[in-house]
Amino acid sequence: MDQAEGLRNIVKHQNQKLVSKARVITVTSGKGGVGKSSAAINLALCFRRLGKKVIILDADFGLANIEVMFGVIPQYNLSDIMFRGKELKDIIMQGPEGVGFISGGSGIAKLVNLDNEQIKRLVYKLTELERLADVIIIDTGAGIAPSVLEFVAASAEVILVTTPEPTSITDAYALLKALNMFPGFDKNDTQIKVLCNRVNSTGEGKNLFEKLNMVVSRFLNINLTMLGCVPMDSAVTKAVMKQKPVSIMYPNAPSARAFAEIAKNLDENSDNGHSQKIGVGRFFINVFNRRR
């Protein structure tokens, strides 16, 4: 039995104990500064208001945007399960309105050298998320670093955040191109949904998507779907300055209403996605396989 087969057996054994699987949604972007973490946070809040139990895993260990906007300072991160004997409940912080938060921090990088027994223990702990959450949102770093591509390639459901800025569209394409060449990525098992952020109109958002989709379809043969548009909104900037999500500070702002509508559409279309077929255990096994 090879190593990969051994890891697959680990998660298969763990998933057999679970009645249901949480939905795993990975939020990413081709460049920083396009509102990726803001989208992750506001969608998490909107899912929570729809009655879902939500946990965010901050896999962007270069920045601490979610920590700042949630106003929490995590004492532990993911690696503390392995190296400090902590339980999953110890590393989950409570954010606003009951949204859970796990800091990946620099601890994610330490997980690369785990042996199979250590991975077995970690996956066993992480599969407890199936009981604690209906939706798990993974907030990756921005760009095409391997640490970003590993999480995106492991995902069955990806939200790609971009803006009408030419550099944002170019970098979104660069991310998809790098992903297309990334070992183990299967375009047939991954739904990539484009969130058009900071648009001046729905028409501008549709044009943005069509422009990106045209070149991606032609040169990469990857299927994209348009998730929705979030308008340019000064309320977002005001909320960020106060270190709060716009959905909390200004719930009636155009951007907050747009996030609520997108979350509602995601929730209503959950049965059509692949994410619930993968589960938390399989997601992390996919990540570990790529890291090894």
Side-chain angles (χ1 to χ4, degrees), residues 93-115:
M93 303 293 294
Q94 286 301 309
E97 300 187 19
V99 174
F101 167 69
I102 297 175
S103 172
S106 59
I108 288 180
K110 299 177 183 178
L111 303 178
V112 66
N113 294 318
L114 298 183
D115 60 32

Side-chain angles (χ1 to χ4, degrees), residues 44 46-54 98-99 133-135 267 270:
C46 293
F47 271 121
R48 186 74 188 93
R49 292 169 184 174
L50 290 171
K52 304 297 181 182
K53 294 178 291 185
V54 186
V99 174
D134 302 308
V135 179
D267 184 48
S270 61

Side-chain angles (χ1 to χ4, degrees), residues 101-248:
F101 167 69
I102 297 175
S103 172
S106 59
I108 288 180
K110 299 177 183 178
L111 303 178
V112 66
N113 294 318
L114 298 183
D115 60 32
N116 273 12
E117 285 303 313
Q118 289 174 316
I119 289 177
K120 183 177 180 180
R121 168 176 160 75
L122 182 56
V123 170
Y124 175 79
K125 295 297 182 183
L126 290 172
T127 51
E128 294 177 18
L129 288 170
E130 302 280 9
R131 300 184 180 91
L132 298 175
D134 302 308
V135 179
I136 298 168
I137 295 179
I138 313 289
D139 181 36
T140 75
I144 59 174
S147 58
V148 175
L149 296 175
E150 285 160 355
F151 279 97
V152 178
S155 305
E157 187 172 7
V158 176
I159 295 176
L160 174 60
V161 181
T162 187
T163 71
E165 295 177 5
T167 54
S168 178
I169 300 172
T170 301
D171 288 338
Y173 177 80
L175 170 64
L176 294 172
K177 183 178 179 180
L179 181 64
N180 202 39
M181 297 185 293
F182 197 72
F185 171 68
D186 188 342
K187 65 184 71 177
N188 296 317
D189 286 338
T190 306
Q191 288 190 340
I192 301 178
K193 305 171 182 180
V194 179
L195 191 158
C196 303
N197 195 27
R198 300 175 188 161
V199 298
N200 291 311
S201 67
T202 300
E204 184 180 46
K206 290 180 178 178
N207 289 336
L208 188 168
F209 172 78
E210 290 170 2
K211 185 183 300 184
L212 179 62
N213 188 46
M214 180 178 65
V215 293
V216 169
S217 299
R218 180 178 178 182
F219 296 109
L220 303 180
N221 196 29
I222 293 176
N223 292 322
L224 301 178
T225 59
M226 184 170 177
L227 178 59
C229 299
V230 177
M232 179 73 76
D233 187 357
S234 61
V236 175
T237 303
K238 293 176 183 177
V240 169
M241 293 299 293
K242 296 180 180 180
Q243 298 183 355
K244 297 289 184 181
V246 69
S247 295
I248 289 179

